[in-house]
Amino acid sequence: MDETDRRLISILRHDARASLSDLAIGLGVSRTTVRARIERLRANGEIVGFTVVLRGDTARDPVRGLMMLGIEGRGTDRVIRQLNGLSAVRATHTTNGRWDVIVEIGTETLEELDRVLAQIRRFDGIASSETSLLLNTWKSGR
């Protein structure tokens, strides 16, 4: 993948519905080149699909947060299994640095979020946690 491919992907992430003409102008190449690059990126598995984000998708969870977890010892796999069993957990991510796992949580109310956070804090192996509420989303891949 070269710089033009990376720029093409960046533009498509911003607007996957951009026309070939608009993509070509933005990249300074021909429409044929853009079409060929997209097909090559799809064929080699770099681009696996395109999606549409609906208003309802962003309104699904009026209260959203990220919970960062520090886990004692070697309990990460067990904790992740427990987290993924909770209906309010949208995604779990292992990471490096201060935190071992970052959990995306979505609920209908602050009270429900508080209950989920308390439940997670009671899991065996959770050494520390920090939670940030997501106030506004400017761009989402979902």
Side-chain angles (χ1 to χ4, degrees):
M1 186 181 315
D2 65 10
E3 183 59 27
T4 302
D5 288 338
R6 284 188 281 281
R7 288 179 38 225
L8 173 60
I9 289 170
S10 176
I11 294 169
L12 288 172
R13 280 187 172 147
H14 179 71
D15 182 5
R17 293 190 63 211
S19 70
L20 291 176
S21 297
D22 289 343
L23 292 168
I25 291 168
L27 295 170
V29 298
S30 71
R31 286 173 24 118
T32 305
T33 299
V34 171
R35 178 177 289 147
R37 284 179 177 266
I38 290 172
E39 288 307 315
R40 182 179 43 77
L41 289 166
R42 290 182 72 196
N44 70 19
E46 291 294 328
I47 295 177
V48 295
F50 298 89
T51 188
V52 174
V53 179
L54 303 174
R55 181 179 24 227
D57 295 337
T58 60
R60 173 178 149 201
D61 297 316
V63 178
R64 296 168 300 132
L66 298 177
M67 185 178 202
M68 286 69 70
L69 299 173
I71 300 174
E72 295 174 340
R74 300 176 189 244
T76 302
D77 291 340
R78 179 181 36 78
V79 169
I80 288 175
R81 280 193 303 277
Q82 289 177 289
L83 290 166
N84 289 336
L86 299 177
S87 62
V89 171
R90 301 297 175 244
T92 54
H93 310 275
T94 54
T95 186
N96 66 329
R98 178 177 176 198
W99 304 108
D100 299 305
V101 175
I102 297 177
V103 186
E104 295 179 47
I105 302 170
T107 63
E108 291 291 320
T109 65
L110 281 171
E111 292 79 9
E112 185 181 351
L113 178 68
D114 186 47
R115 282 191 297 276
V116 172
L117 297 177
Q119 181 180 8
I120 292 170
R121 286 186 195 109
R122 288 191 299 270
F123 286 177
D124 283 338
I126 301 294
S128 58
S129 70
E130 181 178 315
T131 304
S132 295
L133 289 177
L134 301 177
L135 301 176
N136 198 356
T137 299
W138 296 97
K139 178 180 178 183
S140 175
R142 294 184 189 151

